Amino acid sequence: MEFSIILMIIGILCIVVSFFLRDSSKKLEQDIEDLSISIYQETNSLKKRLKIIEEELLLESNFTVKPKATNKSSIQAYKQAAQVAQSKQVNPANNTQQINEILISQVIQLNKQGYPVDEISKMSTLSKEQILSILNNGGNR
């Protein structure tokens, strides 16, 4: 009978001790759940930002980023962008402002790269006076 009493006491002590010990698996499950929720939220916010940027740049959703171009290829890229923008004109009243903004940004970028007004005029469809006006106004209308 002494042996059974000792086993009962040990059992009761184990039960009491188990109430005071924390379950580490529940904390781990909670941490994983919090991590997955935060990743989901960040992914959604990045998707929203990307969609806004695509809309601002008037790009399709299958847009791919190309490696950085050299100076000559960047000039060609500017020319191609201007041609594409002009070829996509549906309503001239709506697209004139967009094309002008594209040309303005091209002129400013080419000027920052050190190209003289004559070369910028040759690369774009603008006259020297228009280019000087853009550069004097800093791109503002």
Side-chain angles (χ1 to χ4, degrees):
M1 197 139 137
E2 292 176 19
F3 184 68
S4 63
I5 294 175
I6 293 174
L7 286 176
M8 285 181 66
I9 292 173
I10 291 174
I12 292 172
L13 285 175
C14 286
I15 291 172
V16 170
V17 169
S18 71
F19 285 117
F20 294 110
L21 293 178
R22 291 188 177 178
D23 189 14
S24 62
S25 66
K26 286 186 180 181
K27 185 180 184 316
L28 183 62
E29 287 176 9
Q30 183 65 32
D31 290 343
I32 290 173
E33 186 176 333
D34 291 342
L35 179 64
S36 66
I37 290 172
S38 67
I39 288 173
Y40 177 75
Q41 289 172 342
E42 289 178 27
T43 304
N44 279 342
S45 68
L46 287 173
K47 285 181 182 179
K48 288 179 184 177
R49 290 179 188 171
L50 183 61
K51 185 175 181 181
I52 291 170
I53 290 172
E54 286 177 348
E55 289 173 357
E56 287 178 0
L57 297 176
L58 302 172
L59 299 175
E60 291 82 31
S61 60
N62 59 358
F63 174 72
T64 58
V65 177
K66 295 182 180 177
K68 186 176 179 181
T70 61
N71 281 341
K72 288 184 179 181
S73 61
S74 65
I75 294 169
Q76 292 172 349
Y78 285 131
K79 286 182 180 179
Q80 289 174 353
Q83 290 172 354
V84 168
Q86 289 175 350
S87 68
K88 288 188 177 181
Q89 267 188 341
V90 176
N91 185 353
N94 290 341
N95 287 333
T96 304
Q97 183 179 9
Q98 294 174 353
I99 293 171
N100 286 337
E101 290 175 7
I102 293 171
L103 289 174
I104 289 170
S105 65
Q106 288 176 359
V107 168
I108 291 171
Q109 288 299 320
L110 289 171
N111 185 43
K112 286 181 181 178
Q113 292 177 3
Y115 289 97
V117 176
D118 294 335
E119 287 185 33
I120 295 173
S121 176
K122 290 176 187 176
M123 288 183 246
S124 67
T125 59
L126 301 175
S127 67
K128 293 178 185 178
E129 293 79 21
Q130 290 172 324
I131 293 171
L132 290 173
S133 172
I134 290 170
L135 294 176
N136 289 336
N137 294 334
N140 298 328
R141 295 184 178 194

